């Protein structure tokens, strides 16, 4: 093989030869890796709470961490029963309240719990929300009420994650089917399709299984990575396959495989750098979803490269004969009319494009970003969303903010409580100081021994003894000798009484003991939820939307009110605080992602084209596509989840610019070899199959995710990715060529490529010259030359090769 003989010393040829000839070993290693990945994919831990990815310096993160340390959150659920009259609803509430696993049940005849022939039961279980027994109890209640029209809303369990997983499995299957159709349409031989699918399928399984090594990943990454991996990486396999078919026109299967791989490795790796450059930008986000998704996607891209560079050459050897036998005509047509249109409009389109992107920039800057789900709509809704919406329509939506304050006296907490209740933005406040114990007394009210004995129907002498024992046990009251001279918070005394009874120091009548036990259980749940070792918690119900400037302003007001009474650390946690933190984080992340993605892609393009002008023009086109993409929500008056913008803009900059590189690279190769019109027509014919294959897959994947996911963040990513890819394809096909035609002189003048002579040779006789030369060949000659010279040559080889040629006459 001539190519082999000439390139045997090439390191890339040696690497390619090793990979092709050791294909059975590579098959074995991939098989082991795939088996492991199939098993390990079930070990991957998935985080379903977006607030878990807030940075440690945000108030929400600090508040959630402090609440985990200080308080216990018990399992709870809202259960709405429709088409029921009040008497039946009341009877049902009493039945539910008698359950051993139910700690508290709120139901009354107010509009908060009974409205429009619907009953709403707010249930608190005896177990923490992460205790499986709470979920079991809820399942039993749902089974018990299965005969009613039932809607259940709860934060317990991973039902949402399971639903999202099922949705994305469906999306993946549909995308895979559509990819098969696209590959069949764009293929030149039927047998190349299984090669491509096996290559991608292997890398996808490896990507899913190796997530295990990342520890915990977000549900967003877990849901969309496999689909985006397919869309982002399938063109690597297509590029290698096309390169092989090109080499196979003149070389046998093995040799063509080796040569194609040696050429494809640097070509494909360079192509992947722009994609990874855009993804790397997400790693600089403060919001942890960005780094989480960036790591998952970059790992997926690298594994796709690994599969293309190591597994696919062996698969080509395996399917090589079948590929030769199943050739068919090319279904992808040439598109000379596009190239002609581009040439004819080269002076019209670029100025219009400049006007368009300026307008798009101004419009997209007004994009209505939101930071929570409350104002977002999805094309499909799952059962959980339907239940939440039904409950919200009938009984309204709760907006609860947890106010965390240093633990102090109950008197100070009561003052704060009264100030908050006077605010028109506050509907109610739940705290120990606002929780009724019995007959109008609050849990924290101080009672004398006589008041306590009357309230609990206890013998007064027993009550005095109890107070005396409490005084001896508590140093605060130890100096008081007369029990009638002091009062004790009701909750403290009840806890003390229960401990004394439990230790056998005090004995009570059965009826009193039953009341004490029941009261102690409820008080213990209330205290562990609202009072910790160092901090107390107040649950403030707001009549404000979760996300609005008025809501954000009142969060600051809550801080001001609390600081009137507390000098220590005060935190507010809740959906509204989380969204305020995300809004603050977005301002910084938006700037960082845009700057880093542009710089990363710029660096790759500078290295690729050795010109300052070319990267600027390409980035301008793709950045214009991003601005146009995010002008649509403004025009349609649709809210956009901020996270979708950060992720999609990074992917769009990193991945869609590959389409621009294909066109630009081909045009720059052809522009000096033929007339500009012919060069642009040939360029568009060449680039169309690659762009339509990769672009249609990415667009289809995005559109399906956007229309089949019930999660607002995933849905937003899909919609923007699908729309943005279509906009990018249109711009690189119908705008970029005109920009290149007008800007080629700028590109050339800003080039810093240095032509380094590859060889300075002197030969006499019969010489084969194939390449671009400069020097003396029986006279001065500059240009491209291919053929055999008989004479003298003293030349600099700019590109190509020169060697002695054997004279045919001499051989004869």
């Amino acid at each position: 093989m001539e190519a082999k003989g000439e390139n045997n010393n090439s390191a890339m040829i040696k690497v390619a030869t090793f990979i092709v000839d050791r294909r059975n070993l590579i098959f074995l290693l991939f098989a082991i890796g795939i088996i492991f990945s199939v098993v390990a994919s079930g070990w991957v831990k998935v985080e379903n709470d977006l607030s878990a990815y807030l940075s440690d310096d945000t108030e929400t993160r600090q508040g959630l961490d402090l609440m985990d340390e200080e308080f216990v959150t018990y399992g709870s659920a809202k259960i709405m029963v429709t088409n029921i009259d009040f008497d039946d609803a009341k009877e049902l509430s009493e039945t539910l309240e008698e359950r051993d696993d139910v700690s508290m049940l709120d139901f009354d005849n107010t509009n908060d719990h009974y409205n429009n022939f619907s009953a709403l039961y707010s249930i608190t279980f005896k177990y923490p929300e992460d205790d499986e027994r709470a979920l079991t109890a809820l399942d039993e209640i749902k089974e018990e009420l299965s005969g009613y029209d039932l809607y259940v809303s709860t934060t317990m369990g991973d039902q949402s994650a399971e639903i999202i997983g099922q949705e994305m499995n469906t999306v993946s299957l549909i995308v895979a089917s559509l990819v098969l159709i696209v590959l069949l349409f764009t293929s030149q031989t039927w047998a190349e399709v299984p090669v491509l699918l096996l290559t991608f399928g292997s890398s996808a399984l490896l990507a899913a299984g190796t997530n295990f090594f990342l520890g915990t990943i977000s549900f967003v990454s877990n849901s969309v990575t496999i689909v985006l991996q397919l869309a982002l990486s399938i063109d690597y396999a297509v590029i290698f396959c096309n390169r092989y078919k090109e080499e196979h026109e003149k070389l046998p299967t093995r040799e063509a495989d080796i040569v194609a791989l040696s050429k494809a490795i640097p070509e494909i790796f360079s192509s992947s750098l722009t994609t990874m450059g855009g993804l790397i930008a997400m790693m600089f986000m403060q919001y942890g979803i960005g780094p989480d998704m960036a790591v998952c996607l970059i790992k997926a891209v690298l594994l796709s490269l690994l599969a293309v560079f190591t597994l696919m050459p062996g698969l080509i050897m395996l399917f090589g004969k079948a590929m030769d036998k199943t050739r068919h005509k090319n279904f992808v047509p040439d598109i000379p009319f596009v190239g002609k249109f581009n040439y004819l409009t080269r002076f019209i389109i670029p100025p219009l494009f400049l006007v368009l992107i300026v307008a798009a920039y101004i419009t997209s800057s007004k994009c209505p970003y939101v930071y929570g789900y409350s104002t977002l709509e999805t094309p499909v809704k799952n059962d959980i969303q339907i239940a939440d919406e039904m409950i919200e329509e009938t009984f309204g939506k709760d907006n609860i903010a947890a106010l965390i304050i240093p633990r102090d006296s109950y008197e100070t907490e009561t003052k704060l409580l009264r100030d908050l209740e006077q605010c028109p933005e506050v509907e109610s406040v739940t705290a120990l100081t606002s929780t009724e114990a019995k007959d109008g007394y609050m849990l924290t009210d101080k009672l004398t021994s006589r008041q306590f004995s009357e309230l609990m129907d206890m013998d007064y002498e027993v009550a005095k003894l109890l107070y005396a024992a409490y005084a001896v046990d508590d140093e605060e009251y130890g100096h008081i000798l007369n029990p009638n001279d002091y009062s004790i918070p009701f909750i403290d005394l009840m806890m003390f009484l229960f401990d004394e009874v439990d230790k056998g120091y005090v004995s009570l009548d059965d009826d009193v003991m039953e009341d004490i036990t029941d009261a102690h259980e409820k008080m213990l749940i209330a205290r562990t939820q609202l009072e910790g070792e160092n901090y107390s918690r107040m649950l403030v119900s707001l009549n404000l939307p979760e996300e609005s400037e008025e809501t954000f302003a009142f969060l600051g007001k809550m801080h001001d009110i609390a600081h009137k009474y507390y000098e220590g650390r005060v935190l507010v946690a809740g959906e509204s605080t989380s969204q305020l933190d995300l809004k603050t984080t977005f301002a910084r992340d938006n700037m960082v992602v845009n700057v880093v993605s542009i710089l990363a892609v710029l660096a790759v393009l500078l290295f690729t084209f050795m010109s300052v002008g070319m990267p600027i023009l390409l980035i301008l086109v793709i950045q214009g596509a991003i601005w146009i993409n995010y002008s649509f929500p403004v025009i349609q008056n649709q809210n956009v989840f901020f996270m979708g913008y950060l992720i999609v803009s990074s992917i769009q900059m990193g991945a869609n610019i590959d389409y621009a590189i294909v066109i630009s690279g081909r045009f720059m190769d052809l522009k000096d070899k033929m007339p500009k019109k012919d060069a642009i027509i040939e360029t568009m014919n060449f680039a169309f199959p690659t762009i339509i294959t990769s672009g249609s897959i990415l667009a289809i994947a995005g559109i399906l995710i956007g229309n089949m996911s019930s999660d607002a963040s995933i849905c937003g990513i899909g919609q923007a990715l699908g729309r943005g890819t279509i906009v990018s394809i249109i711009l690189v096909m119908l705008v970029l060529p005109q920009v290149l035609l007008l800007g080629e002189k700028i590109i050339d003048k800003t080039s810093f490529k240095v032509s380094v002579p590859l060889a300075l040779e002197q030969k006499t006789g019969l010489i084969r010259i194939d390449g671009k030369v400069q020097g003396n060949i029986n006279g001065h000659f500059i240009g491209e030359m291919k053929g055999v010279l008989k004479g003298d040559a003293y030349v600099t080889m700019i590109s190509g090769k020169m060697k002695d040629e054997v004279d045919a006459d001499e051989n004869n």
Side-chain angles (χ1 to χ4, degrees), residues 381-563:
K381 291 180 172 63
N382 59 50
D383 292 341
I384 296 174
Q385 291 170 324
I386 293 171
D388 289 340
E389 287 185 1
M390 289 293 294
I391 293 174
E392 182 179 343
E393 288 176 6
T394 307
F395 295 99
K397 183 175 178 62
D398 291 334
N399 183 12
I400 306 296
L403 177 60
I404 307 166
I405 51 179
R407 183 174 175 179
D408 203 334
S409 67
Y410 292 135
E411 289 81 1
T412 304
E413 187 175 315
T414 300
K415 293 177 183 178
L416 173 59
L417 173 71
R418 290 171 180 167
D419 280 4
L420 290 172
E421 288 178 332
Q422 290 175 3
C423 295
E425 298 89 350
V426 175
E427 282 190 353
S428 63
V429 182
T430 300
L432 278 182
T433 52
S434 67
T435 303
E436 184 177 358
K438 192 175 183 182
D439 297 343
Y441 286 104
M442 299 298 153
L443 285 177
T444 58
D445 285 348
K446 290 186 174 182
L447 279 66
T448 64
S449 56
R450 183 169 295 281
Q451 289 172 319
F452 182 76
S453 67
E454 294 173 354
L455 180 65
M456 299 302 297
D457 196 22
M458 180 185 294
D459 184 87
Y460 178 53
E461 294 301 322
V462 174
K464 287 198 297 183
L465 289 173
L466 178 65
Y467 268 62
Y470 186 93
V472 171
D473 188 71
D474 193 309
E475 60 183 22
E476 182 180 349
Y477 299 93
H479 63 282
I480 301 176
L481 298 177
N482 187 352
N484 295 320
D485 293 338
Y486 63 95
S487 56
I488 302 173
F490 180 73
I491 187 171
D492 292 342
L493 189 64
M494 287 294 292
M495 293 294 181
F496 176 76
L497 174 59
F498 184 83
D499 288 342
E500 294 298 294
V501 171
D502 191 50
K503 294 175 184 176
Y505 298 153
V506 175
S507 59
L508 300 170
D509 294 339
D510 290 343
D511 292 341
V512 176
M513 188 61 215
E514 185 177 346
D515 290 342
I516 294 291
T517 302
D518 184 60
H520 173 268
E521 185 176 82
K522 293 180 178 179
M523 289 179 188
L524 182 62
I525 290 176
R527 169 164 274 179
T528 53
Q529 287 195 102
L530 300 172
E531 187 176 73
E533 184 177 350
N534 303 300
Y535 290 86
S536 296
R537 177 165 62 172
M538 306 176 79
L539 303 179
V540 184
S541 178
L542 307 178
N543 54 27
L544 299 170
E546 283 185 359
E547 184 175 352
S548 71
E549 292 303 321
E550 185 183 3
T551 305
F552 296 156
F554 185 70
L555 296 178
K557 185 178 179 181
M558 287 176 63
H559 278 276
D560 295 338
I561 295 172
H563 279 300

Side-chain angles (χ1 to χ4, degrees), residues 1 3-22 26 254 257-259 261-263 265 309:
M1 179 183 73
K4 180 180 177 181
E6 293 173 356
N7 294 284
N8 252 345
N9 294 327
S10 165
M12 202 59 70
I13 284 288
K14 290 182 179 179
V15 170
T17 303
F18 176 85
I19 291 172
V20 171
D21 290 345
R22 298 294 185 273
I26 292 172
R254 175 178 175 274
D257 202 4
I258 292 171
V259 174
L261 180 59
S262 67
K263 294 179 179 179
I265 288 176
F309 293 158

Side-chain angles (χ1 to χ4, degrees), residues 618-631:
L618 298 190
I619 289 174
L620 182 65
V621 171
I622 300 302
Q623 186 61 56
I626 294 172
W627 289 332
I628 294 171
N629 185 16
Y630 281 94
S631 295

Side-chain angles (χ1 to χ4, degrees), residues 152-370:
V152 178
S153 175
T154 183
T155 58
M156 297 189 301
D158 294 328
Q159 289 179 298
S160 295
E162 294 173 3
I163 291 172
I164 293 170
Q166 293 169 359
E167 292 172 349
M168 295 312 298
N169 287 337
T170 302
V171 170
S172 299
L173 289 174
I174 296 175
V175 169
S177 301
L178 292 173
V179 166
L180 177 60
I181 295 172
V182 171
L183 292 178
L184 287 172
F185 175 73
T186 57
S187 68
Q188 295 175 345
T189 168
W190 301 121
E192 74 183 60
V193 175
V195 172
L196 297 173
L197 293 179
L198 286 170
T199 300
F200 171 74
S202 300
S203 63
L205 288 173
L206 290 176
T210 51
N211 284 335
F212 166 71
F213 297 108
L214 301 179
T216 300
I217 63 173
S218 70
F219 74 93
V220 179
S221 300
N222 189 58
S223 301
V224 303
T225 294
I226 187 170
V227 179
L228 292 183
Q229 180 187 5
L230 168 61
L232 293 173
S233 305
I234 192 68
D235 54 334
Y236 304 153
V238 171
I239 290 172
F240 177 42
C241 189
N242 290 340
R243 175 66 73 177
Y244 164 75
K245 288 182 290 186
E246 181 181 338
E247 297 295 336
H248 192 40
E249 292 296 325
K250 56 183 182 291
L251 295 172
T253 299
R254 175 178 175 274
E255 287 77 3
D257 202 4
I258 292 171
V259 174
L261 180 59
S262 67
K263 294 179 179 179
I265 288 176
E267 180 182 352
I268 294 172
F269 187 73
S270 297
S271 174
S272 71
L273 288 178
T274 55
T275 300
M276 288 191 283
L279 297 175
I280 286 171
M282 292 195 294
M283 298 187 70
F284 290 86
M285 288 170 54
Q286 275 187 315
Y287 188 39
I289 285 287
D292 177 83
M293 195 165 185
V295 170
C296 288
L297 283 174
I298 290 172
K299 175 172 64 67
V301 170
L302 290 174
L303 287 171
S304 295
L305 291 175
L306 179 67
V308 169
F309 293 158
T310 59
L311 178 64
M312 190 171 173
L315 292 174
I316 287 177
M317 293 296 296
L318 198 62
F319 286 85
K321 292 182 179 180
M323 291 173 67
D324 292 338
K325 293 178 181 179
T326 57
R327 290 180 179 272
H328 58 78
K329 74 170 189 174
N330 190 358
F331 298 123
V332 181
D334 287 339
I335 51 171
F337 57 91
V338 174
K340 292 177 182 178
F341 170 82
N342 293 336
Y343 186 77
L344 290 174
T345 58
R346 64 191 182 281
F347 299 112
I348 301 172
I349 295 296
L352 292 177
F353 175 63
L354 286 176
V355 174
L356 176 62
I357 63 172
V358 169
Y361 169 74
I362 295 172
T363 304
S364 63
S365 65
K366 301 175 183 177
C367 192
Y369 297 112
V370 295

Side-chain angles (χ1 to χ4, degrees), residues 29-279:
L29 294 176
F30 264 85
I32 294 171
I34 289 170
I35 293 171
F36 169 80
S37 295
V38 169
V39 176
S41 61
W43 303 338
V44 178
K45 296 180 181 178
V46 179
E47 175 57 65
N48 300 306
D49 186 5
L50 289 176
S51 63
Y53 292 91
L54 285 165
S55 59
D56 293 339
D57 59 350
T58 58
E59 184 174 14
T60 301
R61 183 73 267 145
Q62 293 176 18
L64 292 174
D65 290 343
L66 189 59
M67 287 194 294
D68 285 341
E69 295 172 8
E70 292 278 328
F71 312 106
V72 176
T73 300
Y74 287 85
S76 62
K78 288 184 176 182
I79 299 178
M80 185 175 80
V81 178
T82 61
N83 301 316
I84 188 172
D85 61 39
F86 179 76
D87 291 337
D88 290 340
K90 180 66 175 175
E91 182 179 346
L92 186 57
S93 73
E94 293 170 354
T95 300
L96 293 174
E97 197 169 14
E98 290 174 359
R99 289 180 59 94
D100 293 337
D101 44 30
V102 172
S103 171
M104 288 179 282
L105 184 146
D106 292 334
F107 179 78
D108 53 39
N109 61 357
T110 65
N111 287 338
D112 291 337
H113 291 101
Y114 188 79
N115 184 33
N116 195 25
F117 293 99
S118 296
L120 181 65
Y121 305 110
S122 298
I123 297 176
T124 301
F125 296 100
K126 294 181 179 180
Y127 316 110
E129 63 178 356
D130 56 356
D131 192 320
E132 284 295 325
R133 290 177 296 178
L135 277 174
T136 301
L138 179 59
D139 289 338
E140 290 177 358
I141 290 176
K142 288 160 66 175
E143 179 65 27
E144 186 177 343
L145 303 181
S146 59
Y148 295 91
D149 295 329
L150 199 66
Y151 298 93
V152 178
S153 175
T154 183
T155 58
M156 297 189 301
D158 294 328
Q159 289 179 298
S160 295
E162 294 173 3
I163 291 172
I164 293 170
Q166 293 169 359
E167 292 172 349
M168 295 312 298
N169 287 337
T170 302
V171 170
S172 299
L173 289 174
I174 296 175
V175 169
S177 301
L178 292 173
V179 166
L180 177 60
I181 295 172
V182 171
L183 292 178
L184 287 172
F185 175 73
T186 57
S187 68
Q188 295 175 345
T189 168
W190 301 121
E192 74 183 60
V193 175
V195 172
L196 297 173
L197 293 179
L198 286 170
T199 300
F200 171 74
S202 300
S203 63
L205 288 173
L206 290 176
T210 51
N211 284 335
F212 166 71
F213 297 108
L214 301 179
T216 300
I217 63 173
S218 70
F219 74 93
V220 179
S221 300
N222 189 58
S223 301
V224 303
T225 294
I226 187 170
V227 179
L228 292 183
Q229 180 187 5
L230 168 61
L232 293 173
S233 305
I234 192 68
D235 54 334
Y236 304 153
V238 171
I239 290 172
F240 177 42
C241 189
N242 290 340
R243 175 66 73 177
Y244 164 75
K245 288 182 290 186
E246 181 181 338
E247 297 295 336
H248 192 40
E249 292 296 325
K250 56 183 182 291
L251 295 172
T253 299
R254 175 178 175 274
E255 287 77 3
D257 202 4
I258 292 171
V259 174
L261 180 59
S262 67
K263 294 179 179 179
I265 288 176
E267 180 182 352
I268 294 172
F269 187 73
S270 297
S271 174
S272 71
L273 288 178
T274 55
T275 300
M276 288 191 283
L279 297 175

